[in-house]
Amino acid sequence: MTRKKVKLAYITNDSSRKATFKKRKKGLLKKVSELSTLCDIKTCAIIYSPYDTQPEVWPSPMEVQNIIAKFKMMPEMDQSKKMVNQESFLRQRIAKSEEQLKKQQRDNREKEMTQVMYRSLVGEGLQNLNIVDLNDLGWVIDKSIKEIDEKIKSLLEQQAVPPPPPPPAAAPAPQVVTMTSHASRTTKQDMFNDEAAARSTNTDLATDSSQNQQWLMDLLKSNDNMGFGRNDDMLPYSLHTNNFWSNFPFP
């Protein structure tokens, strides 16, 4: 909820005026204390009122006397440089309000002439305008034409400037890790297959060797039973002319 704006005028009611005085005095002394603390400056306040027999001073009578003495030691030009009384304060407020009123009148007049210009574009006549209105209308038209020319110039300058080049496309993410991983998996798979093939080959060789030895043992037993094993006249098998032994695959 917004705070209601206070009307700056003398309060005729005695009780309301006294209550407002106490509240505003407390707020004023609080602001003076905050200003002294935040900015580290020497400040003081002296308040006279019909409700108190003695004036109220802040922060203390001794401190107030020191600040006043320091102020009186300054040159007169410096003393009155930023000093205002009630009359000068009111004059400043009046001058400021008059300036704001003139500015608002100019804005209203410009808006009024802008509406007249728009109506004239759709065919409404200008017979009811006096010389002052026509001068103001001409000023508004010149201002609008100037703004249009500046806008056209700005657009032409923007078209003359080439657009910035597009940003370079982002490089694709490297696939080194994936390819290495795949190659590693392929290499490991090949090694596994080679080891399996080697184990299979060794198994086959061992099986063949075992079968050959068993066949040879059976053959030798058969010869012993036939009486050939104990014949001293029989030559060693390395010098024998039998082709069977030369073709036998020894392990």
Side-chain angles (χ1 to χ4, degrees), residues 87-127:
E87 182 180 359
S88 60
F89 176 74
L90 291 176
R91 287 179 180 176
Q92 291 178 2
R93 293 292 298 271
I94 292 172
K96 186 177 180 179
S97 299
E98 289 177 350
E99 183 65 26
Q100 292 177 352
L101 178 61
K102 291 180 180 179
K103 182 180 178 181
Q104 189 64 42
Q105 288 177 349
R106 288 195 299 268
D107 294 341
N108 294 339
R109 183 65 174 175
E110 182 178 355
K111 292 179 181 179
E112 181 183 358
M113 291 296 102
T114 303
Q115 294 296 327
V116 173
M117 178 183 66
Y118 290 156
R119 289 197 299 266
S120 63
L121 292 175
V122 296
E124 185 174 340
L126 305 176
Q127 295 82 4

Side-chain angles (χ1 to χ4, degrees), residues 37 61 88 101 104 148 151 158 188 199 201 209 220 240:
T37 302
S88 60
L101 178 61
Q104 189 64 42
I148 293 172
K151 185 64 176 178
Q158 292 179 1
K188 291 181 179 180
R199 287 195 299 267
T201 303
S209 177
L220 290 176
H240 202 269

Side-chain angles (χ1 to χ4, degrees), residues 71 79-93:
F71 174 75
Q79 291 182 11
S80 59
K81 186 175 181 180
K82 296 183 179 180
M83 185 182 299
V84 294
N85 52 19
Q86 186 176 7
E87 182 180 359
S88 60
F89 176 74
L90 291 176
R91 287 179 180 176
Q92 291 178 2
R93 293 292 298 271

